[in-house]
Amino acid sequence: MKFLYATTIDYPSTRANRIQVLHMAAAFTALLGKDFLFGMRSTRRPLPHGLDAYYVGEHAHSYTYAWDYLKYARTMQVSDVLCREERMLFFIILLNALWFRLPLRFWYEIHHLVFVKTWWSRYMLRRVSGIISLTNAMKQELVSTGYPAEKILVASDAVDVSEFSGTKDVVGLKAELGIPEDKHVIVYTGSIDEPWKGVGVLYEASKLLDDSYQIVVVGGKEHYVEYFKKEYPERANFLMVGQKPHESIPSYIALADVVVLPNSGKQAISAISTSPMKLFEYMASGVPIVASDLPSIREVLNPDNAFLVEADNPQALAEGIESVMKQREVASARAAQAQRDVQAYTWDNRARSILSFVGKILK
């Protein structure tokens, strides 16, 4: 088996999906060695984890990326193609059927259900050997459309727990951000441009918390931060520090007395499809978690390892945050349980699970 992971990512990037792809490529490389091939668009510096890559270059359309990857697959005698980009995978499958006719097997890592009912997505799904779904809830949706359950693997996202070991300079970072030592610090990490991320709900919750609380939002490109500030008037207890390099995220999380995952339940991508990397980073940090009580989140979190609150409800979110500070021993016990639970969610384990699934399907 020669396994190609076909992507169009660039490096470096602060986007979570890019970081996920690089971690998975490193895990596959460790397991498959030279039988694993990794493709990406471009890089402006040496890749992390000692990775090598085939650079597909800049293209204007998904079908031209697909054509380039098929030429590479033919040259390298690839047997299996894994892809998480639905349009490109559709064209890889279509162009292979029409022109290249290579003996390839296709594996689709699905991250949302936005396109699942389109004609081209149905064409693609009928021709993949198997699907890797981020959540069981999304798997059940796929099964309801007629896709065989035995051809779907549920593989949540993961974390490199080693990134959260060691001492962080919390005092120095607090001083840099101007946060007094006596504040209860609440941290959110991640993008702010999608309403389903729930940052607006977190802002509304900030109005319900007293002056002893300081919310810190880490994430969002500059123009998104500026847009957010136009929509939501600045508040002293709601600090937005913008996008930061991913390697600095453990230090920002270490600032926190509480970390929050305020996902909305109004969109399917949040309620059933998402498996946020920040969730696993929060668990690895040992900081108490307050999260929306949604099916997607419930697949990993529960009342033993987190504080779950009603989604889209600022009052419930504020009360959840206050509960952590009022129940320190309970909160510490749940955070410790989250740290134990997250040991199962490593990139290596995820890669092993996918390769085991591939092996079972091929028997």
Side-chain angles (χ1 to χ4, degrees), residues 104-134:
L104 294 172
R105 294 178 292 262
F106 305 103
W107 308 89
Y108 175 34
E109 181 173 322
I110 187 168
H111 284 246
H112 56 75
L113 297 169
V114 174
F115 303 113
V116 76
K117 293 184 179 180
T118 62
W119 70 267
W120 58 267
S121 181
R122 291 198 299 269
Y123 173 91
M124 178 185 68
L125 291 174
R126 287 196 299 269
R127 288 159 178 81
V128 296
S129 296
I131 294 175
I132 296 95
S133 170
L134 287 178

mmCIF file of all heavy atoms in Angstrom, residues 104-134:
data_model
loop_
_atom_site.group_PDB
_atom_site.id
_atom_site.type_symbol
_atom_site.label_atom_id
_atom_site.label_comp_id
_atom_site.label_asym_id
_atom_site.label_seq_id
_atom_site.Cartn_x
_atom_site.Cartn_y
_atom_site.Cartn_z
ATOM 1 N N LEU A 104 -6.918 3.068 -8.038
ATOM 2 C CA LEU A 104 -6.860 3.794 -6.774
ATOM 3 C C LEU A 104 -8.070 3.492 -5.899
ATOM 4 O O LEU A 104 -9.175 3.275 -6.397
ATOM 5 C CB LEU A 104 -6.813 5.306 -7.035
ATOM 6 C CG LEU A 104 -5.574 5.858 -7.737
ATOM 7 C CD1 LEU A 104 -5.785 7.324 -8.091
ATOM 8 C CD2 LEU A 104 -4.339 5.694 -6.857
ATOM 9 N N ARG A 105 -7.834 3.537 -4.587
ATOM 10 C CA ARG A 105 -8.920 3.528 -3.606
ATOM 11 C C ARG A 105 -8.966 4.912 -2.962
ATOM 12 O O ARG A 105 -7.922 5.522 -2.713
ATOM 13 C CB ARG A 105 -8.688 2.448 -2.550
ATOM 14 C CG ARG A 105 -8.755 1.030 -3.090
ATOM 15 C CD ARG A 105 -8.479 0.014 -1.998
ATOM 16 N NE ARG A 105 -7.095 0.085 -1.541
ATOM 17 C CZ ARG A 105 -6.122 -0.728 -1.955
ATOM 18 N NH1 ARG A 105 -6.374 -1.660 -2.856
ATOM 19 N NH2 ARG A 105 -4.894 -0.614 -1.471
ATOM 20 N N PHE A 106 -10.178 5.388 -2.674
ATOM 21 C CA PHE A 106 -10.351 6.748 -2.173
ATOM 22 C C PHE A 106 -10.972 6.729 -0.776
ATOM 23 O O PHE A 106 -11.919 5.979 -0.511
ATOM 24 C CB PHE A 106 -11.238 7.553 -3.128
ATOM 25 C CG PHE A 106 -10.733 7.560 -4.539
ATOM 26 C CD1 PHE A 106 -11.325 6.753 -5.504
ATOM 27 C CD2 PHE A 106 -9.653 8.346 -4.905
ATOM 28 C CE1 PHE A 106 -10.859 6.742 -6.810
ATOM 29 C CE2 PHE A 106 -9.175 8.345 -6.207
ATOM 30 C CZ PHE A 106 -9.776 7.539 -7.163
ATOM 31 N N TRP A 107 -10.438 7.589 0.094
ATOM 32 C CA TRP A 107 -10.888 7.689 1.480
ATOM 33 C C TRP A 107 -11.184 9.156 1.775
ATOM 34 O O TRP A 107 -10.347 10.025 1.543
ATOM 35 C CB TRP A 107 -9.818 7.147 2.430
ATOM 36 C CG TRP A 107 -9.365 5.775 2.029
ATOM 37 C CD1 TRP A 107 -8.345 5.463 1.171
ATOM 38 C CD2 TRP A 107 -9.949 4.531 2.419
ATOM 39 N NE1 TRP A 107 -8.247 4.105 1.013
ATOM 40 C CE2 TRP A 107 -9.215 3.500 1.767
ATOM 41 C CE3 TRP A 107 -11.002 4.180 3.263
ATOM 42 C CZ2 TRP A 107 -9.512 2.154 1.935
ATOM 43 C CZ3 TRP A 107 -11.295 2.834 3.429
ATOM 44 C CH2 TRP A 107 -10.559 1.843 2.773
ATOM 45 N N TYR A 108 -12.381 9.405 2.282
ATOM 46 C CA TYR A 108 -12.852 10.779 2.474
ATOM 47 C C TYR A 108 -12.976 11.088 3.959
ATOM 48 O O TYR A 108 -13.721 10.423 4.678
ATOM 49 C CB TYR A 108 -14.203 10.949 1.779
ATOM 50 C CG TYR A 108 -14.883 12.285 1.970
ATOM 51 C CD1 TYR A 108 -14.165 13.472 2.090
ATOM 52 C CD2 TYR A 108 -16.279 12.359 2.002
ATOM 53 C CE1 TYR A 108 -14.806 14.688 2.247
ATOM 54 C CE2 TYR A 108 -16.936 13.572 2.150
ATOM 55 C CZ TYR A 108 -16.196 14.733 2.275
ATOM 56 O OH TYR A 108 -16.836 15.936 2.431
ATOM 57 N N GLU A 109 -12.235 12.096 4.421
ATOM 58 C CA GLU A 109 -12.394 12.577 5.795
ATOM 59 C C GLU A 109 -13.375 13.738 5.771
ATOM 60 O O GLU A 109 -13.054 14.828 5.302
ATOM 61 C CB GLU A 109 -11.054 13.021 6.388
ATOM 62 C CG GLU A 109 -11.194 13.491 7.829
ATOM 63 C CD GLU A 109 -9.863 13.783 8.499
ATOM 64 O OE1 GLU A 109 -8.889 13.044 8.267
ATOM 65 O OE2 GLU A 109 -9.816 14.762 9.272
ATOM 66 N N ILE A 110 -14.572 13.502 6.285
ATOM 67 C CA ILE A 110 -15.645 14.490 6.190
ATOM 68 C C ILE A 110 -15.695 15.346 7.455
ATOM 69 O O ILE A 110 -15.632 14.831 8.574
ATOM 70 C CB ILE A 110 -17.004 13.796 5.919
ATOM 71 C CG1 ILE A 110 -18.099 14.825 5.654
ATOM 72 C CG2 ILE A 110 -17.387 12.840 7.046
ATOM 73 C CD1 ILE A 110 -19.387 14.222 5.110
ATOM 74 N N HIS A 111 -15.798 16.664 7.258
ATOM 75 C CA HIS A 111 -15.795 17.602 8.376
ATOM 76 C C HIS A 111 -17.114 18.357 8.520
ATOM 77 O O HIS A 111 -17.288 19.095 9.486
ATOM 78 C CB HIS A 111 -14.639 18.593 8.224
ATOM 79 C CG HIS A 111 -13.312 17.996 8.567
ATOM 80 N ND1 HIS A 111 -12.558 18.396 9.645
ATOM 81 C CD2 HIS A 111 -12.607 16.994 7.987
ATOM 82 C CE1 HIS A 111 -11.448 17.685 9.707
ATOM 83 N NE2 HIS A 111 -11.455 16.825 8.706
ATOM 84 N N HIS A 112 -18.016 18.211 7.579
ATOM 85 C CA HIS A 112 -19.335 18.839 7.672
ATOM 86 C C HIS A 112 -20.248 18.174 6.648
ATOM 87 O O HIS A 112 -19.792 17.400 5.797
ATOM 88 C CB HIS A 112 -19.252 20.347 7.421
ATOM 89 C CG HIS A 112 -18.613 20.701 6.112
ATOM 90 N ND1 HIS A 112 -19.260 20.550 4.903
ATOM 91 C CD2 HIS A 112 -17.383 21.174 5.815
ATOM 92 C CE1 HIS A 112 -18.466 20.928 3.925
ATOM 93 N NE2 HIS A 112 -17.315 21.298 4.438
ATOM 94 N N LEU A 113 -21.536 18.503 6.742
ATOM 95 C CA LEU A 113 -22.527 17.877 5.864
ATOM 96 C C LEU A 113 -23.121 18.868 4.867
ATOM 97 O O LEU A 113 -24.163 18.611 4.274
ATOM 98 C CB LEU A 113 -23.652 17.272 6.715
ATOM 99 C CG LEU A 113 -23.229 16.146 7.663
ATOM 100 C CD1 LEU A 113 -24.355 15.828 8.637
ATOM 101 C CD2 LEU A 113 -22.821 14.902 6.888
ATOM 102 N N VAL A 114 -22.437 19.988 4.664
ATOM 103 C CA VAL A 114 -22.983 21.067 3.838
ATOM 104 C C VAL A 114 -23.321 20.591 2.430
ATOM 105 O O VAL A 114 -24.361 20.942 1.866
ATOM 106 C CB VAL A 114 -21.988 22.248 3.784
ATOM 107 C CG1 VAL A 114 -22.473 23.313 2.803
ATOM 108 C CG2 VAL A 114 -21.808 22.850 5.175
ATOM 109 N N PHE A 115 -22.439 19.772 1.840
ATOM 110 C CA PHE A 115 -22.612 19.391 0.436
ATOM 111 C C PHE A 115 -23.157 17.976 0.248
ATOM 112 O O PHE A 115 -23.258 17.501 -0.878
ATOM 113 C CB PHE A 115 -21.269 19.493 -0.301
ATOM 114 C CG PHE A 115 -20.644 20.853 -0.236
ATOM 115 C CD1 PHE A 115 -19.459 21.057 0.455
ATOM 116 C CD2 PHE A 115 -21.243 21.933 -0.862
ATOM 117 C CE1 PHE A 115 -18.881 22.314 0.515
ATOM 118 C CE2 PHE A 115 -20.677 23.197 -0.811
ATOM 119 C CZ PHE A 115 -19.492 23.390 -0.117
ATOM 120 N N VAL A 116 -23.512 17.294 1.330
ATOM 121 C CA VAL A 116 -23.753 15.858 1.239
ATOM 122 C C VAL A 116 -24.934 15.497 0.336
ATOM 123 O O VAL A 116 -24.994 14.388 -0.206
ATOM 124 C CB VAL A 116 -23.930 15.266 2.653
ATOM 125 C CG1 VAL A 116 -25.298 15.603 3.233
ATOM 126 C CG2 VAL A 116 -23.688 13.770 2.655
ATOM 127 N N LYS A 117 -25.863 16.425 0.113
ATOM 128 C CA LYS A 117 -27.031 16.125 -0.717
ATOM 129 C C LYS A 117 -26.898 16.642 -2.149
ATOM 130 O O LYS A 117 -27.822 16.505 -2.947
ATOM 131 C CB LYS A 117 -28.295 16.687 -0.062
ATOM 132 C CG LYS A 117 -28.650 15.976 1.242
ATOM 133 C CD LYS A 117 -29.959 16.471 1.834
ATOM 134 C CE LYS A 117 -30.284 15.715 3.119
ATOM 135 N NZ LYS A 117 -31.553 16.188 3.726
ATOM 136 N N THR A 118 -25.762 17.219 -2.494
ATOM 137 C CA THR A 118 -25.555 17.671 -3.868
ATOM 138 C C THR A 118 -25.269 16.467 -4.763
ATOM 139 O O THR A 118 -24.794 15.425 -4.301
ATOM 140 C CB THR A 118 -24.383 18.654 -3.953
ATOM 141 O OG1 THR A 118 -23.184 17.985 -3.525
ATOM 142 C CG2 THR A 118 -24.622 19.873 -3.070
ATOM 143 N N TRP A 119 -25.531 16.622 -6.073
ATOM 144 C CA TRP A 119 -25.339 15.488 -6.983
ATOM 145 C C TRP A 119 -23.887 15.054 -7.036
ATOM 146 O O TRP A 119 -23.583 13.856 -7.081
ATOM 147 C CB TRP A 119 -25.841 15.844 -8.388
ATOM 148 C CG TRP A 119 -24.991 16.862 -9.110
ATOM 149 C CD1 TRP A 119 -25.161 18.209 -9.139
ATOM 150 C CD2 TRP A 119 -23.815 16.588 -9.884
ATOM 151 N NE1 TRP A 119 -24.175 18.811 -9.878
ATOM 152 C CE2 TRP A 119 -23.337 17.844 -10.357
ATOM 153 C CE3 TRP A 119 -23.123 15.425 -10.229
ATOM 154 C CZ2 TRP A 119 -22.198 17.947 -11.154
ATOM 155 C CZ3 TRP A 119 -21.985 15.533 -11.020
ATOM 156 C CH2 TRP A 119 -21.533 16.784 -11.477
ATOM 157 N N TRP A 120 -22.977 16.038 -7.018
ATOM 158 C CA TRP A 120 -21.567 15.681 -7.144
ATOM 159 C C TRP A 120 -21.036 15.023 -5.872
ATOM 160 O O TRP A 120 -20.163 14.153 -5.933
ATOM 161 C CB TRP A 120 -20.729 16.898 -7.537
ATOM 162 C CG TRP A 120 -20.795 18.076 -6.600
ATOM 163 C CD1 TRP A 120 -21.627 19.151 -6.682
ATOM 164 C CD2 TRP A 120 -19.979 18.294 -5.444
ATOM 165 N NE1 TRP A 120 -21.393 20.028 -5.651
ATOM 166 C CE2 TRP A 120 -20.381 19.527 -4.883
ATOM 167 C CE3 TRP A 120 -18.950 17.579 -4.836
ATOM 168 C CZ2 TRP A 120 -19.793 20.050 -3.729
ATOM 169 C CZ3 TRP A 120 -18.358 18.096 -3.693
ATOM 170 C CH2 TRP A 120 -18.782 19.319 -3.151
ATOM 171 N N SER A 121 -21.586 15.421 -4.716
ATOM 172 C CA SER A 121 -21.187 14.768 -3.471
ATOM 173 C C SER A 121 -21.706 13.334 -3.432
ATOM 174 O O SER A 121 -20.996 12.413 -3.004
ATOM 175 C CB SER A 121 -21.717 15.554 -2.267
ATOM 176 O OG SER A 121 -21.322 14.941 -1.061
ATOM 177 N N ARG A 122 -22.936 13.119 -3.901
ATOM 178 C CA ARG A 122 -23.476 11.759 -3.948
ATOM 179 C C ARG A 122 -22.648 10.881 -4.891
ATOM 180 O O ARG A 122 -22.394 9.710 -4.601
ATOM 181 C CB ARG A 122 -24.945 11.790 -4.381
ATOM 182 C CG ARG A 122 -25.879 12.408 -3.346
ATOM 183 C CD ARG A 122 -27.328 12.037 -3.614
ATOM 184 N NE ARG A 122 -27.771 12.521 -4.915
ATOM 185 C CZ ARG A 122 -28.341 13.700 -5.126
ATOM 186 N NH1 ARG A 122 -28.524 14.531 -4.105
ATOM 187 N NH2 ARG A 122 -28.725 14.058 -6.337
ATOM 188 N N TYR A 123 -22.230 11.459 -6.014
ATOM 189 C CA TYR A 123 -21.360 10.732 -6.953
ATOM 190 C C TYR A 123 -20.068 10.306 -6.242
ATOM 191 O O TYR A 123 -19.625 9.158 -6.355
ATOM 192 C CB TYR A 123 -21.039 11.629 -8.146
ATOM 193 C CG TYR A 123 -20.011 11.060 -9.107
ATOM 194 C CD1 TYR A 123 -20.404 10.296 -10.201
ATOM 195 C CD2 TYR A 123 -18.647 11.289 -8.914
ATOM 196 C CE1 TYR A 123 -19.467 9.769 -11.086
ATOM 197 C CE2 TYR A 123 -17.702 10.770 -9.785
ATOM 198 C CZ TYR A 123 -18.113 10.011 -10.865
ATOM 199 O OH TYR A 123 -17.171 9.485 -11.731
ATOM 200 N N MET A 124 -19.471 11.231 -5.513
ATOM 201 C CA MET A 124 -18.220 10.964 -4.810
ATOM 202 C C MET A 124 -18.408 9.907 -3.721
ATOM 203 O O MET A 124 -17.629 8.955 -3.610
ATOM 204 C CB MET A 124 -17.694 12.263 -4.192
ATOM 205 C CG MET A 124 -16.417 12.112 -3.378
ATOM 206 S SD MET A 124 -15.969 13.658 -2.572
ATOM 207 C CE MET A 124 -17.283 13.826 -1.364
ATOM 208 N N LEU A 125 -19.471 10.060 -2.914
ATOM 209 C CA LEU A 125 -19.693 9.147 -1.796
ATOM 210 C C LEU A 125 -19.917 7.712 -2.267
ATOM 211 O O LEU A 125 -19.529 6.758 -1.581
ATOM 212 C CB LEU A 125 -20.880 9.621 -0.957
ATOM 213 C CG LEU A 125 -20.666 10.911 -0.160
ATOM 214 C CD1 LEU A 125 -21.956 11.346 0.509
ATOM 215 C CD2 LEU A 125 -19.566 10.743 0.874
ATOM 216 N N ARG A 126 -20.532 7.542 -3.434
ATOM 217 C CA ARG A 126 -20.761 6.191 -3.952
ATOM 218 C C ARG A 126 -19.459 5.513 -4.377
ATOM 219 O O ARG A 126 -19.415 4.291 -4.524
ATOM 220 C CB ARG A 126 -21.725 6.239 -5.144
ATOM 221 C CG ARG A 126 -23.168 6.510 -4.777
ATOM 222 C CD ARG A 126 -24.106 6.158 -5.927
ATOM 223 N NE ARG A 126 -23.836 6.933 -7.130
ATOM 224 C CZ ARG A 126 -24.421 8.091 -7.420
ATOM 225 N NH1 ARG A 126 -25.311 8.615 -6.572
ATOM 226 N NH2 ARG A 126 -24.136 8.728 -8.540
ATOM 227 N N ARG A 127 -18.410 6.297 -4.549
ATOM 228 C CA ARG A 127 -17.172 5.751 -5.104
ATOM 229 C C ARG A 127 -16.004 5.728 -4.125
ATOM 230 O O ARG A 127 -14.924 5.256 -4.480
ATOM 231 C CB ARG A 127 -16.803 6.531 -6.370
ATOM 232 C CG ARG A 127 -17.740 6.201 -7.529
ATOM 233 C CD ARG A 127 -17.745 7.262 -8.610
ATOM 234 N NE ARG A 127 -18.625 6.859 -9.716
ATOM 235 C CZ ARG A 127 -19.948 7.008 -9.708
ATOM 236 N NH1 ARG A 127 -20.557 7.542 -8.654
ATOM 237 N NH2 ARG A 127 -20.675 6.606 -10.745
ATOM 238 N N VAL A 128 -16.195 6.243 -2.920
ATOM 239 C CA VAL A 128 -15.112 6.148 -1.939
ATOM 240 C C VAL A 128 -15.173 4.793 -1.247
ATOM 241 O O VAL A 128 -16.247 4.208 -1.073
ATOM 242 C CB VAL A 128 -15.170 7.295 -0.901
ATOM 243 C CG1 VAL A 128 -14.957 8.644 -1.568
ATOM 244 C CG2 VAL A 128 -16.469 7.276 -0.111
ATOM 245 N N SER A 129 -14.008 4.302 -0.850
ATOM 246 C CA SER A 129 -13.947 3.010 -0.160
ATOM 247 C C SER A 129 -14.394 3.118 1.286
ATOM 248 O O SER A 129 -14.856 2.146 1.882
ATOM 249 C CB SER A 129 -12.522 2.458 -0.223
ATOM 250 O OG SER A 129 -12.152 2.191 -1.558
ATOM 251 N N GLY A 130 -14.242 4.309 1.862
ATOM 252 C CA GLY A 130 -14.650 4.509 3.242
ATOM 253 C C GLY A 130 -14.616 5.983 3.606
ATOM 254 O O GLY A 130 -14.004 6.802 2.915
ATOM 255 N N ILE A 131 -15.298 6.308 4.708
ATOM 256 C CA ILE A 131 -15.398 7.688 5.185
ATOM 257 C C ILE A 131 -14.885 7.758 6.614
ATOM 258 O O ILE A 131 -15.191 6.886 7.438
ATOM 259 C CB ILE A 131 -16.859 8.183 5.132
ATOM 260 C CG1 ILE A 131 -17.339 8.274 3.678
ATOM 261 C CG2 ILE A 131 -17.004 9.537 5.819
ATOM 262 C CD1 ILE A 131 -18.805 8.651 3.551
ATOM 263 N N ILE A 132 -14.111 8.789 6.903
ATOM 264 C CA ILE A 132 -13.695 9.084 8.273
ATOM 265 C C ILE A 132 -14.508 10.284 8.727
ATOM 266 O O ILE A 132 -14.401 11.374 8.157
ATOM 267 C CB ILE A 132 -12.183 9.381 8.362
ATOM 268 C CG1 ILE A 132 -11.368 8.144 7.963
ATOM 269 C CG2 ILE A 132 -11.816 9.806 9.778
ATOM 270 C CD1 ILE A 132 -10.935 8.125 6.526
ATOM 271 N N SER A 133 -15.348 10.082 9.737
ATOM 272 C CA SER A 133 -16.233 11.131 10.256
ATOM 273 C C SER A 133 -15.711 11.630 11.596
ATOM 274 O O SER A 133 -15.262 10.837 12.428
ATOM 275 C CB SER A 133 -17.649 10.570 10.428
ATOM 276 O OG SER A 133 -18.475 11.478 11.128
ATOM 277 N N LEU A 134 -15.807 12.935 11.819
ATOM 278 C CA LEU A 134 -15.325 13.503 13.079
ATOM 279 C C LEU A 134 -16.207 13.145 14.268
ATOM 280 O O LEU A 134 -15.733 13.114 15.405
ATOM 281 C CB LEU A 134 -15.240 15.026 12.969
ATOM 282 C CG LEU A 134 -14.110 15.606 12.127
ATOM 283 C CD1 LEU A 134 -14.208 17.122 12.102
ATOM 284 C CD2 LEU A 134 -12.749 15.176 12.644
#
